[in-house]
Amino acid sequence: MLMSQRTRVLLAGICSQILCVGIARFAYTPLLPIMQEQTWMGDAAGGWLAAVNYLGYISGALIAASISDLKLKDTLYRLGLVLAVVTTAMMAMTENLSLWMVLRYLSGLASAGSMLIASGLILNWLIRHDHRGELGIHFAGIGLGIAIAALSVELMMYLSQGWAEQWLWLSLLSLILAVPAWFWLPRPEVGNTTSSGTTLVDNPPTNRFMWLMMAAYFCAGYGYVITATFIVAFVERQPELAGMGPMAFVLVGLAAAPAVMVWDIIARHAGYLNALLLTLVLQVGGILLPVISPTLPVVFFSALLFGGTFIGSVSLVLTMAGRLYPTKPAKLMGKMTISYGSAQVIAPALTGMLAAKLGNYDLGLWIAGGFVVVGILLVLWLKFTDQTAQQLDASAKAK
């Protein structure tokens, strides 16, 4: 039986997420302790490489936020696929920090192509063809990508592959994924009508919504990036948990993949803001539980909790942005992600320096949890005082 066009479009998005986010961006997390063991890299350098990757991501967000032309965005999306493959392969070819920083910057730029530009193109396609405007299935690719990257590293460690060989094998997997990501996403249509003739109308948000949501999303980004970047290294630093770091990262990905679709369903019944609040409350637990009780059951539970919530926050916020601007969804998605990404530039570098000074990641995780608590308070303020937020909650329950 032939796949429907909707299925192909969603699978193209999933493959792009596995490639650009799961591998090009997040394979670095399980590879970080291996690279520290087999090369000269220390904690501070590891943090700076993570920070420059997020700087590339925020640069991509700025590009997405500044461009309205769907055809140009499609070109940039395809360029991102190429960059993801090439930068993954080239990580194996040097131990020079400056070159690594350039490559991590470019891979961050590529990940923005999948996260934001592809998300916008896919949401635009779904709305134009009268499908429900949700991105849960698309964002399942992030969780799958994290799990695939972590499991690949585990397998290659079992096969005694060094850090450089692991980057090369991951680049081969990236090349395979790039094929459906490229060919199954149609070139975008122009015009402001759906296939049934309905006119697409943008609904600009209030200034209060923009500022409070961007501030809350900044806080969520700070909390998310610390665990996403350092969870493997944190677990490996615990003597009784040595060797369990990559498996914790696998659990993050396995929890994230189905969770995004669950959060879509929750939003349909409870509204976007209530669903977002729940993701943030649970995310605090996912961040702080390993610090409070660094035992294997608690660490694995927190990995599941974190994986099942951080991606829900991202999917819900970007879906809201797309709902407000159906004719050019990536534009507001990009603005939101500038806020989310700003935190991701600051947080890893600060946490890496703290870890180098203190010898552990505990304080960095406590700071991350505190930021998410502030984000919860901002979303509560928004929920009870803003008209745009209330309209979005109502729209979540409609098609």
Side-chain angles (χ1 to χ4, degrees):
M1 181 178 178
L2 294 176
M3 285 188 292
S4 68
Q5 188 174 17
R6 177 177 178 272
T7 301
R8 287 196 299 273
V9 168
L10 291 172
L11 284 175
I14 288 170
C15 289
S16 75
Q17 295 278 37
I18 296 172
L19 162 57
C20 296
V21 183
I23 295 176
R25 191 174 181 196
F26 281 130
Y28 177 75
T29 298
L31 278 170
L32 174 59
I34 300 168
M35 293 176 72
Q36 288 179 319
E37 180 184 337
Q38 298 180 2
T39 71
W40 58 268
M41 186 192 297
D43 287 335
W48 281 110
L49 282 175
V52 80
N53 181 256
Y54 296 121
L55 184 61
Y57 182 64
I58 199 172
S59 300
L62 284 166
I63 293 170
S66 63
I67 297 173
S68 298
D69 188 322
L70 288 177
K71 291 188 179 297
L72 177 56
K73 286 185 177 181
D74 179 75
T75 300
L76 293 175
Y77 160 74
R78 295 170 197 281
L79 177 61
L81 299 178
V82 176
L83 267 180
V85 175
V86 172
T87 56
T88 300
M90 290 187 66
M91 281 296 293
M93 300 178 186
T94 182
E95 288 190 33
N96 181 277
L97 179 60
S98 297
L99 291 176
W100 269 347
M101 290 181 77
V102 170
L103 292 171
R104 294 310 293 157
Y105 175 84
L106 292 174
S107 69
L109 199 63
S111 68
S114 176
M115 277 289 289
L116 299 175
I117 295 177
S119 302
L121 292 171
I122 288 169
L123 187 61
N124 181 270
W125 187 91
L126 290 171
I127 293 171
R128 285 181 184 277
H129 290 82
D130 297 303
H131 298 292
R132 185 181 282 275
E134 295 174 339
L135 288 171
I137 295 175
H138 171 64
F139 282 114
I142 297 177
L144 288 172
I146 289 171
I148 288 169
L151 287 169
S152 298
V153 170
E154 279 286 274
L155 174 62
M156 290 184 287
M157 283 291 290
Y158 177 77
L159 297 174
S160 302
Q161 299 291 293
W163 68 271
E165 289 83 4
Q166 295 199 37
W167 280 112
L168 289 173
W169 282 113
L170 287 168
S171 69
L172 178 60
L173 177 58
S174 298
L175 184 60
I176 294 168
L177 288 163
V179 175
W182 182 290
F183 289 104
W184 285 353
L185 185 63
R187 301 287 180 174
E189 302 169 30
V190 294
N192 291 336
T193 58
T194 68
S195 58
S196 63
T198 304
T199 301
L200 297 175
V201 179
D202 293 334
N203 181 29
T206 63
N207 286 333
R208 175 183 293 173
F209 179 90
M210 284 295 298
W211 286 109
L212 289 181
M213 184 58 77
M214 287 178 71
Y217 206 37
F218 175 92
C219 293
Y222 194 108
Y224 142 77
V225 74
I226 298 307
T227 299
T229 302
F230 296 110
I231 185 172
V232 176
F234 171 84
V235 173
E236 293 298 311
R237 292 286 175 90
Q238 314 303 316
E240 66 276 16
L241 301 180
M244 292 292 105
M247 184 51 63
F249 200 55
V250 170
L251 292 177
V252 170
L254 291 177
V260 279
M261 291 170 276
V262 173
W263 288 113
D264 277 347
I265 295 169
I266 292 172
R268 290 179 206 170
H269 293 86
Y272 288 122
L273 274 295
N274 285 334
L276 180 59
L277 279 169
L278 185 56
T279 67
L280 295 176
V281 169
L282 295 174
Q283 189 175 327
V284 174
I287 293 168
L288 295 181
L289 279 174
V291 187
I292 296 168
S293 177
T295 62
L296 189 60
V298 171
V299 166
F300 280 1
F301 176 72
S302 73
L304 290 169
L305 194 59
F306 175 77
T309 54
F310 87 84
I311 195 61
S313 305
V314 172
S315 179
L316 290 166
V317 170
L318 295 187
T319 297
M320 283 190 277
R323 287 266 186 150
L324 291 169
Y325 285 94
T327 67
K328 44 184 180 292
K331 194 173 182 69
L332 184 54
M333 288 177 180
K335 289 180 180 178
M336 288 295 175
T337 303
I338 291 167
S339 180
Y340 197 69
S342 298
Q344 296 174 41
V345 175
I346 299 165
L350 174 60
T351 303
M353 288 187 288
L354 287 172
K357 184 179 180 67
L358 301 174
N360 61 64
Y361 293 98
D362 291 10
L363 180 58
L365 288 168
W366 278 110
I367 293 171
F371 266 95
V372 179
V373 170
V374 174
I376 291 168
L377 297 176
L378 292 170
V379 175
L380 280 169
W381 185 4
L382 195 59
K383 171 181 166 56
F384 290 111
T385 64
D386 184 73
Q387 180 182 2
T388 297
Q390 292 158 5
Q391 290 172 346
L392 280 166
D393 270 350
S395 74
K397 300 169 186 178
K399 183 176 177 181

